[in-house]
């Protein structure tokens, strides 16, 4: 048997390739095994296709001389609607060894829709829309081979077939730009049907489509006023049920279910048999039909929102005011399930959710206008109840109306778009390990259908700036390829609707922000596709978003006609939530907002030139490369003195110039290397002067520690990482944080919540420090797009004595672990087949192939550690408050 195997065969970026959008799906396979220096020389593909209800076609066999194993071209004919393909792949190495065949079943989605949207009676436009049920009875022949349910909603749905839930998805079909894209799912329901009569039904709620969203009271009916279901059930290629005027509707036990405010459930109205042939027709009425939406019905590569974990409460707390609060021990996003039958038979149980306690009581002020409350009206069965169409961000649940509620009565359901978990990190530093755990949990919480800012308050929007700075970290921890690729499609269509401006949130509902054209946020159109390319090696995502990136640079950026930099009258958020910004003015950062915007403009233009070159757009590549040079010259004329002093003398300003490599090519005074040395030394001075406290906001924080490492100031990077002073990464950990906070001081030392309006306890943006943990502390980063070539360069520092990190790349599992033993640095590396790694250790530089490798090199601790700082006249002594 070969020492190499295929560990995952994948179609495009689908978690499940049932009902795909693409007619010619690209194929990828990961490798497993520890064979030394194994490189693929050739691959073979066998494909058998079949249309529903027909016999399979003859098997096709392809042999391709290539080492490519990521997103290789589809070799067969384009798949048509509902066509299935059984695919088998094996790889042959240069040494002649062969892997076993690996198989995957792919099926094209639905192109021909007979279904129309169906809904209930018209409800008051300005009120919350009560969820309703729809159903139909249909007949299935005595024998059949396959059945597919294609379903979506203008709103959210949960389908049922013969009394059983279809699939495991929450808040389906998710949030898209409904005016342009409505995504559907395909379910294999073959095993759920029986010959003869069957019942197909669904709950339908307002969701993001018609529900209240956003802050300052929010907005309802952002896409429409009438939630509706669109469904089509096909058996052996023939439609047996499709939403139309023949269906019936009725209200049920869910009185109200709102995304921000929670759910009200009347257990007296429960009818568990409503979607079975045993149900009564009493109270059911003919549905109303709606026009077919103009938006494109399409399959999505984004994984569905699912339950990924279950957390039981860890403690029952009685608050100073006598309230009962369950502490789940972890801040997360999702819902709860009632596990037992409460002893009361009348009254109601009220569940209120919050992330923190403030002086022993539920801290609800940070959730602002979100009620975040579930109410259960008693009288019927309550056991196994969980809300359908809401979501909460919480650690604590205040329970009223249930005396004696205990730890075994309620469980928390953790939900997120179920991306594959691909990255891990552990080290000798327990608090940093907790920090990394916090980052992981904030990522889970803020990837429910779209990349959001927070999961708890009256916001939960797809802020473009947050994911722009965070995507490299997300794509290490999770396989975010399909999740972000789908969201980026909405970036483009919403951008087109605004004449080129990238909305600050996508999907776009904030009309009052349409005149804001923001660097850092809008730059997502160029930078995030490029980050995806670096992480997954997918040139296709660059092609998909190319028009979006170009439109941003040509029409979105408001330019100064004199310099072509950002126009000085354009308001910017830039280094948002810098620590020195006052609570009431979170955008009032020390770093000049236009400098940040213009540094990003130079960088984004340069990255777009690289994108153009990769796509063979040579004229655009030359144009934007020259434009980046000209913008750099204009930037230096505007912000840098002749002697090389940057106008905004801050951590953020210097980090941006260094990380983005913004140096003029034709300076008469300094070379780029001299500028870099000058800026690096000054950044180290500022970090020391600031007592190694973080002084950066959204623009500077994600790159700060990496930049210090880049300029040879690693001891300062570790000192900042290990700082206990606020603002720092570890200060919230020391206060008991289990997720990343929006502010460094969201909770003050005395247990009082920060008075600022922007006070979330679950934001991932500042968690982008994990990029440093993975790449510098752990030692893994991609040397070539998609990780085909890996850089292994662990750089121990501070008081760390060991660390390990791993990543499941498009080629397979990569790991690096190191430990300092006496005067030796011992490093173990695993490289997947078909990949190579550049190993950089003290006194050693070596390229290795696949397999397991051990290295032991002499180790000398950094003599600069720990940096002590210099006393300041008439000032406090330098801080020595760091965590060993």
């Amino acid at each position: 048997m070969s020492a190499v195997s295929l560990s995952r065969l994948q179609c495009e970026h689908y978690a499940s390739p049932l009902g795909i959008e693409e007619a010619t799906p690209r194929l990828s396979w990961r490798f497993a095994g520890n064979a030394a220096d194994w490189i693929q020389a050739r691959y073979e593909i066998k494909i058998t296709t079949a249309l529903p209800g027909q016999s399979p076609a003859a098997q096709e066999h392809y042999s391709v001389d290539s080492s490519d194993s990521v997103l290789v071209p589809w070799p067969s004919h384009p798949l048509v609607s509902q066509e299935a393909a059984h695919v088998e792949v094996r790889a042959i190495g240069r040494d002649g060894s062969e892997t076993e065949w690996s198989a995957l079943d792919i099926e094209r989605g639905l192109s021909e829709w007979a279904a129309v949207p169906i809904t209930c009676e018209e409800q008051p436009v300005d009120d919350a829309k009560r969820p309703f049920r729809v159903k139909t009875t249909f007949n299935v022949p005595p024998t059949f081979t396959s059945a597919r349910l294609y379903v979506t909603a203008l709103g959210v749905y949960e389908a049922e077939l013969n009394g059983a839930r279809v699939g495991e998805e929450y808040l389906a079909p998710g949030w898209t730009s409904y005016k342009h894209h409505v995504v559907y799912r395909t379910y294999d329901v073959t095993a759920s049907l029986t010959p003869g009569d069957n019942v197909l039904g669904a709950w339908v709620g307002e969701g993001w489509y018609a529900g209240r969203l956003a802050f300052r009271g929010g907005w309802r009916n952002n896409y429409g006023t009438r939630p509706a279901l669109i469904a089509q059930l096909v058996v052996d290629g023939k439609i047996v049920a499709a939403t139309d005027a023949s269906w019936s509707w009725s209200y049920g036990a869910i009185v109200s279910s709102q995304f921000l405010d929670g759910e009200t459930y009347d257990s007296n109205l429960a009818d568990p048999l409503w979607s079975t042939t045993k149900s009564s027709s009493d109270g059911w009425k003919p549905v109303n039909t709606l026009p077919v939406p103009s938006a494109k019905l399409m399959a999505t590569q984004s994984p569905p929102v699912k339950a990924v974990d279950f957390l039981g409460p860890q403690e029952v707390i009685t608050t100073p005011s006598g309230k009962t609060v369950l502490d789940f021990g972890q801040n997360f996003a999702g819902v709860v399930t009632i596990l037992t039958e409460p002893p009361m038979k009348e009254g109601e149980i009220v569940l209120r959710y919050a992330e923190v306690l403030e002086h022993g009581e539920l801290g609800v002020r940070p959730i602002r206008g979100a009620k975040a409350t579930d109410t259960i009206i008693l009288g019927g069965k309550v056991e196994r109840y969980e809300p359908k169409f809401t979501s909460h961000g919480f650690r604590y649940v205040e329970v009223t109306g249930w005396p004696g509620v205990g730890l075994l009565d309620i469980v928390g359901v953790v939900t997120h778009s179920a991306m594959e978990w691909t990255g891990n990190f552990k080290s000798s530093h327990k608090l940093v390990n907790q920090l990394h755990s916090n980052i992981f949990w904030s990522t889970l919480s803020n990837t429910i259908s779209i990349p959001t800012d927070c999961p708890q308050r009256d916001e939960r929007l797809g802020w473009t700036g947050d994911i722009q700075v965070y995507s490299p970290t997300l794509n290490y921890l999770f396989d975010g390829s399909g999740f972000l690729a789908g969201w980026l499609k909405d970036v483009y269509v919403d951008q087109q609707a605004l004449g080129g401006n990238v909305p600050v949130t996508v999907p776009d509902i904030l009309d009052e922000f349409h005149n804001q054209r923001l660097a850092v946020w809008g730059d997502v159109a160029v930078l995030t596709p490029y980050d995806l390319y670096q992480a997954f090696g997918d040139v296709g995502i660059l092609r998909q978003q190319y028009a979006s990136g170009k439109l941003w640079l040509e029409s979105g950026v408001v330019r100064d006609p004199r310099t072509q930099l950002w126009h000085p009258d354009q308001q910017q958020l830039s280094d948002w939530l810098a620590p020195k910004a006052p609570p009431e003015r979170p955008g009032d950062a020390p770093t000049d907002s236009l400098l940040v915007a213009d540094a990003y403009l130079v960088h984004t233009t340069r990255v777009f030139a690289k994108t153009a070159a990769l796509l063979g757009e040579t004229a655009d590549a030359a144009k934007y490369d020259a434009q980046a040079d000209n913008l750099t010259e204009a930037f230096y004329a505007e912000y840098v003195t002749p002697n090389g002093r940057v106008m905004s003398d801050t951590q953020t300003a210097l980090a941006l110039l260094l990380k983005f490599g913004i140096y003029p090519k034709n300076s008469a005074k300094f070379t780029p290397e001299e500028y870099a040395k000058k800026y690096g030394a000054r950044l180290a001075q500022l970090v020391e002067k600031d007592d190694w406290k973080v002084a950066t906001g959204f623009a500077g924080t994600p790159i700060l520690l990496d930049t210090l490492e880049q300029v040879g100031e690693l001891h300062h990077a570790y000192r900042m990482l290990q700082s206990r002073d606020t603002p720092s990464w570890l200060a919230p950990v020391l206060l008991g944080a289990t997720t990343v906070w929006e502010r460094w001081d969201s909770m003050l030392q005395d247990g009082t919540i920060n008075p600022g309006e922007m006070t979330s306890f679950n934001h991932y943006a500042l968690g982008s420090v994990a990029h440093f943990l993975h790449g510098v502390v752990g030692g893994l980063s991609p040397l070539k797009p998609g990780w085909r070539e890996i850089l292994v360069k662990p750089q121990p520092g501070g008081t760390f004595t060991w660390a390990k990190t791993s990543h499941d790349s498009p080629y397979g599992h990569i790991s690096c672990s190191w430990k300092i033993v006496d005067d030796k640095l011992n490093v173990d590396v695993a490289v997947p087949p078909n990949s190579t790694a550049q190993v950089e250790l003290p006194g050693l530089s070596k390229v290795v192939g696949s397999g397991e490798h051990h290295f032991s090199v002499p180790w000398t601790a950094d003599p600069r550690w720990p940096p002590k700082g210099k006393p300041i006249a008439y000032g406090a002594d330098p801080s020595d408050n760091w965590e060993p």
Side-chain angles (χ1 to χ4, degrees), residues 46 71 98 221 235 279 406 414 453 561 567 629 651 789 836 856:
K46 295 190 291 190
L71 299 166
E98 300 175 344
N221 308 311
V235 175
S279 65
V414 182
D453 56 330
H567 196 287
D629 289 342
Q651 292 181 19
E789 295 182 24
T836 60
S856 185

Side-chain angles (χ1 to χ4, degrees), residues 277-558:
T277 55
K278 298 178 182 179
S279 65
S280 168
S281 60
D282 293 345
W284 288 80
K285 306 171 186 177
V287 297
N288 294 314
T289 61
L290 299 177
V292 174
S294 58
K296 181 181 179 182
L297 281 177
M298 58 186 291
T300 176
Q301 295 189 53
S302 182
V305 177
K306 290 186 176 182
V308 296
D309 204 352
F310 298 90
L311 302 178
Q314 303 300 300
E315 183 181 4
V316 179
I317 298 170
T318 301
T319 73
S321 66
K323 301 289 181 61
T324 299
V325 173
L326 301 180
D327 176 6
F328 286 81
Q330 172 65 55
N331 196 11
F332 66 98
V335 293
V336 298
T337 302
I338 306 297
L339 295 179
T340 62
E341 193 64 45
M344 311 79 61
K345 299 304 179 185
E346 59 183 18
E348 60 184 31
I349 297 171
V350 178
L351 309 175
R352 297 175 69 212
Y353 299 82
E355 298 179 291
V356 293
L357 299 180
E358 185 174 29
H359 305 305
E361 300 289 347
L362 203 67
V364 295
R365 184 175 59 79
I367 67 175
R368 301 190 310 208
K371 294 179 182 178
T373 300
D374 294 330
T375 302
I376 305 167
I377 300 171
L378 300 173
K381 182 182 177 183
V382 173
E383 183 181 352
R384 305 311 303 177
Y385 163 75
E386 72 178 35
K388 284 195 189 302
F389 299 138
T390 189
S391 181
H392 306 292
F394 65 100
R395 171 175 170 172
Y396 300 94
V397 180
E398 181 186 278
V399 183
T400 57
W402 189 344
V405 65
L407 299 179
L408 301 179
D409 293 321
I410 297 177
V411 68
V413 182
V414 182
T415 63
H416 94 124
S417 291
M419 297 174 283
E420 180 189 1
W421 181 13
T422 56
N424 284 282
F425 172 87
K426 289 289 184 184
S427 74
S428 59
H429 201 296
K430 291 183 179 179
L431 292 185
V432 172
N433 293 343
Q434 182 62 52
L435 170 64
H436 192 270
S437 173
N438 294 359
I439 294 166
F440 171 82
W441 279 97
S442 281
T443 310
L444 281 184
S445 304
N446 285 292
T447 48
I448 295 178
S449 182
I450 63 168
T452 58
D453 56 330
C454 59
Q456 76 298 99
R457 69 185 180 214
D458 56 348
E459 200 159 347
R460 317 184 196 187
L461 303 175
W463 286 93
T464 49
D466 298 53
I467 191 59
Q468 185 274 119
V469 300
Y470 190 68
S471 61
T473 299
L474 169 66
N475 291 330
Y476 188 95
L477 291 173
F478 293 92
D479 182 350
S481 54
F483 176 75
L484 290 177
W487 179 78
L488 284 168
K489 290 181 179 179
D490 281 342
V491 169
Y492 182 41
V493 294
D494 281 350
Q495 176 191 10
Q496 286 177 296
L498 297 183
N501 182 29
V502 175
V504 293
T505 67
V506 174
D508 174 32
I509 62 164
L510 300 181
D511 293 352
E512 62 180 291
F513 284 79
H514 285 171
N515 291 326
Q516 286 196 321
R517 296 170 180 249
L518 301 177
V520 184
W521 279 253
D523 292 308
V524 73
V526 173
L527 300 181
T528 300
Y530 195 77
D531 286 338
L532 282 169
Y533 166 67
Q534 292 294 325
F536 302 106
D538 186 1
V539 177
I541 190 65
L542 299 179
R543 175 61 67 188
Q544 174 189 303
Q545 299 301 128
Y546 188 74
S548 173
K550 189 170 185 177
L551 186 61
W552 168 244
L553 289 176
E554 294 297 323
S555 302
V557 177
V558 182

